Amino acid sequence: MYSSRDGGWVQRGLRALLPASAVARVSLDRTRARTGQDAMRMAAVPATNADPDGGLDAPTVESSAPRYLISDLCGYLDTYLPPEQVSECYRAYLFGAEAHEGQKRKSGEPYIYHPVAVARILAEMRMDHKCLIAALLHDVIEDTQIAKEQVAATFGDEVADLVDGVSKLSQIDFDSRAEAQAASLQKMLLAMTRDIRVILIKLADRLHNMRTLDAMGREACRRISRETLEIFAPIANRLGISRVRVELEELGFAHYWPWRRRVIQCALQKTTGARVEMVGTMETALKHALQQEGIQGVVEGRRKHLYGIFRKMREKSRGFSEVVDVFAFRITVDRVDTCYRVLGLVHNLYKPVPGRFKDYIAIPKANGYQSLHTALVGPQGIQIEIQIRTKDMQRMAESGIAAHWMYKTGDQSLANPTAFAADWLQNLLEMQREAGNSVEFLEHVKVDLFPDEVYVFTPKGHILTLKRGATVIDFAYAIHSDVGNNCVAARIDRRLASLSTVLRSGQTVEVITAPGARPNPGWLSFVVTGKARANIRGYLKNIQEREAQSLGRRLLNAELAAFDMDIERLDPSRLAGYLADVNLREVSDLLRDIGLGNRLATLVARRLAGIEGDEVIRSAPMQEDIHPHRLAIRGTEGMVVNFARCCRPIPGDGIAALFSPGRGIVVHRSECRNLGSLEAKGDKGLDVEWALEPEGEFPTEIRVEIGNRRGALAVVAGAIAEKGSNIENVHSREKDGMTTALEFLILVKSRAHLARIMRRLRQIPLVTRITRVARS
């Protein structure tokens, strides 16, 4: 099938696999490559580019992209794959060359160069042959006439699924570029949850594109670089593939902020020149200390990469001169216990910086990274970071989840990046289920790609890794969505704490739940993890759907009662016909639209009753015979009945309501200045009244003017509490030197309840005036 003894490849037997024209064209291309382009094989060439997700544009970067021929790739695959699998990869190359025939990259080179380069990147990770075949074909579904079914028939369903997972959604029209991008990324990330190799192919694809980012327009270049820094580099970090992550960050930084990169680079070169003697002295001292103790280890001095320095400067609002740990040493040893011996050794050699020691061996990072980190005060008072790890940990740090294919180790002390990735992928699936659309899903994913973590303990001693700034709510949802939905309080280190408490590393957190509890929309203002945000939004959205359907049913039945009908007794064929006319599939969709104010119950009822003349109804004033039954407001309708904040109606007030499309009903006091007349509002008005026994408590505002005396606020608050009301908020404003106005937001059951509170407040000698607040 093939031969590689002389470094070349012959197509023996390939005529049975592809049309003769394809073999001839590939053969001709290879001949030209060997005669005219052999000099650039395996050599770096000036940066080239490709299409927006297959190649790009930016200022010239110092790193350049190696250009590989298929013979180089197959020769490399020979080092770790059996011959029959290498032949399959070569067959995929021929298939791709045929599919991409005539296509050029922006640089003018044949498009097939790009898939070959992507496959080479994955080959360096020692990926399996199925993944390499998918890499060679990763653009055929998206950019050619080849269908997924054709790929499956030729190379199998596994390869076809990988190629389809990487392909963008180009057959669907989207309202904006952002929506199209979000939908394609959502598709890729969900495919990744089924097979992690999808994201590895995509990362290799993006890496080659970033290496060849010179021919696109400036705006396109910045857009792609920003996407790389915001999404793909963090994904590589989340999967522990630091080698890919660092290169993506450096290339993205160079193309998105070229001037800032040059400034930092110049400053770093000056600093390096001044400190090179000091770094050399420390390296010699560390090596000598290891030798004295008989420890076999490798000491490597290194400089932090430019984007890492820039990110620290931006996050901590520091100048370059204030970033002290620009230089670092990595000490690599053979065993875990030796790591701790070396830690004691370096702490004896140089003074450690308090608070800078981190044990990522005992408590690995969220991506499985393991190492000991400490900072030392070196010569001239300069801080130097020291990283101590084993050789296996170093391999895992560079390759992350790709190490599953690259290395086999029996070291039980190593964290398993695959297990950490599986946890994250499970979180992605939960976020997908709860997200309303692809844009919202992408927002949750970006939130979840965090660089900084805190480590907290469950009561049973299990460690949970959360984003820095995470609260009790984030912790609860990290345990399980049901725990988050039902939590009401927590104990942190055995002390009661509120749900908004920000957690710190080392704390033990116990969540207190209650069966009847449910998420509060206010939680969204302080949660920081994508999983918590997605679950809260999803729960509230489902609650709103159910409440909207219930309200819609009540509204429609109230209107149908005028025709002696209700929705349960409607002719099914008439109802089905109406649903078809308005492009709705289910009755529940119609009820939801009515409850949310997107459709008027009056007009729907007339259509279902067989009465035409919608235009007349819209312009006609509301009469009592049109609304024989007013909607009774019970106070338990939930999120689809909102009480206006301008006038804050409570049971006992005269009320009127307006439809707010997408929100439902907004209830005002009848005398509210913002309401206007129902006649002027036309079809947006709704007749409502309070139910005979409204349930729950309703917020209202009162203003109390009181003389300036010490303890006056406590006296007023005590009187309000005495009458069974809770104070939600209070603001004070000094009117003159003698009087202060206190504005209270309190919860009451009815107008009579409010009257009792106001009578009690008038009995306080210091109170000079009490009014109910209505805002314009």
Side-chain angles (χ1 to χ4, degrees), residues 124-139:
E124 290 170 355
M125 298 181 187
R126 305 184 82 83
M127 297 301 298
D128 64 286
H129 78 291
K130 296 282 189 183
C131 182
L132 296 172
I133 291 172
L136 289 164
L137 304 175
H138 75 271
D139 279 331

Side-chain angles (χ1 to χ4, degrees), residues 421-476:
D423 291 340
W424 180 55
L425 298 179
Q426 185 61 39
N427 285 345
L428 287 184
L429 288 175
E430 287 193 36
M431 286 189 277
Q432 156 64 16
R433 286 195 293 267
E434 303 298 344
N437 53 53
S438 56
V439 175
E440 184 178 319
F441 173 70
L442 183 58
E443 175 193 334
H444 297 327
V445 172
K446 285 183 178 180
V447 167
D448 213 39
L449 293 172
F450 52 86
D452 298 320
E453 298 109 356
V454 293
Y455 304 92
V456 292
F457 295 87
T458 67
K460 294 184 178 180
H462 299 302
I463 300 173
L464 285 183
T465 305
L466 299 171
K467 181 179 179 180
R468 189 172 300 279
T471 64
V472 171
I473 295 291
D474 296 294
F475 176 88

Side-chain angles (χ1 to χ4, degrees), residues 211-281:
R211 287 173 177 175
T212 58
L213 196 65
D214 280 334
M216 298 285 288
R218 181 62 181 157
E219 289 304 313
C221 173
R222 285 180 58 81
R223 171 177 54 80
I224 295 160
S225 298
R226 180 177 178 178
E227 181 184 67
T228 299
L229 292 172
E230 289 184 353
I231 298 173
F232 290 100
I235 287 176
N237 180 55
R238 197 65 177 75
L239 298 176
I241 315 174
S242 64
R243 184 186 304 171
V244 173
R245 186 261 306 171
V246 168
E247 189 172 356
L248 286 175
E249 287 179 343
E250 288 299 287
L251 292 168
F253 185 34
H255 292 94
Y256 193 72
W257 284 296
W259 183 83
R260 298 184 188 186
R261 183 179 184 276
R262 284 195 293 270
V263 170
I264 294 175
Q265 188 174 33
C266 290
L268 192 57
Q269 287 172 347
K270 293 178 182 178
T271 303
T272 302
R275 298 180 181 177
V276 64
E277 183 178 349
M278 180 271 297
V279 172
T281 300

Side-chain angles (χ1 to χ4, degrees), residues 678-743:
L678 289 177
E679 290 82 0
K681 296 295 181 181
D683 59 12
K684 293 185 179 180
L686 178 69
D687 279 346
V688 293
E689 62 185 1
W690 292 106
L692 291 177
E693 295 183 0
E695 300 178 27
E697 294 181 317
F698 301 82
T700 191
E701 291 183 80
I702 59 172
R703 181 182 293 114
V704 181
E705 295 183 11
I706 191 169
N708 282 337
R709 294 290 187 278
R710 179 176 297 179
L713 175 59
V715 172
V716 174
I720 293 173
E722 180 186 320
K723 290 300 179 181
S725 177
N726 188 46
I727 300 173
E728 292 284 290
N729 203 353
V730 61
H731 289 284
S732 65
R733 178 173 52 85
E734 189 172 329
K735 293 189 64 176
D736 50 47
M738 303 295 294
T739 308
T740 297
L742 301 174
E743 293 186 355

